[in-house]
Amino acid sequence: FNASEGAAADRSQTSRSIITVVAAKQNKLELAEATLADYLKREPTKLTEKARMESEMAKAYQIQKDYVRMAPHAEQAFSAAKTLLADTSSRARGLDEILDNGMLVFEAYRDIGNIEKALAALDDLIVSGVMTQTPSLYYYAADQKITYLIDVGRKPKALAFYQTALANA
């Protein structure tokens, strides 16, 4: 379809997004990366398509335990999901995407060993919970942060954060 002359730009872009997602799911990451790059160079781009492609790329790299390549895709997916929440017709879907993609960012940096960026991702999820007035998102992210702080040997900081989170709740 993309090779055909005169194809509508929006349909060509949608086909690129589908190719990217399918290639990522099939672990054909070279093809997925190339198609994603091609998509990003062209117009029109849709935030929903970008969020989905970046999320699938992050998940594919996570399966391969390539957290360095996972992290930028997870960050892009999380950023797109937060932007989409304001425009989405389904608040629940938007919140699910924020949680899923925010956790991908956290997991990438956790598994790389970058404690500060992992904590920053959890803090961003906590702020998202506050901004969207979603207690379950706030509590989930706060719980993950407390657990992670304990896991990385920062129990006093975890206890202090617990007290702060409890007071804020």
Side-chain angles (χ1 to χ4, degrees), residues 12-159:
S12 291
Q13 284 291 76
T14 297
S15 71
R16 285 182 191 91
S17 74
I18 293 168
I19 291 167
T20 300
V21 168
V22 170
K25 287 179 179 258
Q26 293 177 344
N27 200 32
K28 297 177 181 175
L29 296 177
E30 226 175 273
L31 173 61
E33 287 283 9
T35 308
L36 174 59
D38 191 30
Y39 178 92
L40 294 173
K41 287 189 283 188
R42 299 174 187 263
E43 292 292 328
T45 60
K46 293 181 186 171
L47 205 49
T48 54
E49 290 175 344
K50 184 177 179 197
R52 177 75 192 276
M53 290 183 290
E54 296 286 6
S55 181
E56 291 301 330
M57 293 296 296
K59 290 173 186 175
Y61 283 121
Q62 184 178 37
I63 290 168
Q64 288 191 342
K65 299 184 187 318
D66 189 344
Y67 307 114
V68 172
R69 287 192 175 141
M70 175 190 175
H73 290 292
E75 285 182 1
Q76 289 295 317
F78 186 38
S79 176
K82 289 189 296 185
T83 303
L84 278 170
L85 183 62
D87 298 332
T88 189
S89 58
S90 170
R91 180 173 165 81
R93 179 176 173 230
L95 290 170
D96 283 346
E97 287 181 11
I98 285 176
L99 177 59
D100 289 347
N101 292 314
M103 287 304 295
L104 282 173
V105 174
F106 163 69
E107 291 165 357
Y109 287 119
R110 176 197 64 199
D111 294 341
I112 288 171
N114 189 327
I115 295 169
E116 297 313 314
K117 283 194 174 186
L119 289 170
L122 291 172
D123 286 340
D124 200 358
L125 273 173
I126 290 167
V127 169
S128 294
V130 171
M131 298 299 289
T132 60
Q133 298 180 356
T134 310
S136 59
L137 178 58
Y138 175 85
Y139 290 124
Y140 184 79
D143 180 62
Q144 290 294 312
K145 183 175 180 177
I146 293 165
T147 302
Y148 183 62
L149 283 167
I150 293 168
D151 289 346
V152 296
R154 297 181 181 182
K155 190 172 184 179
K157 220 173 193 177
L159 292 172

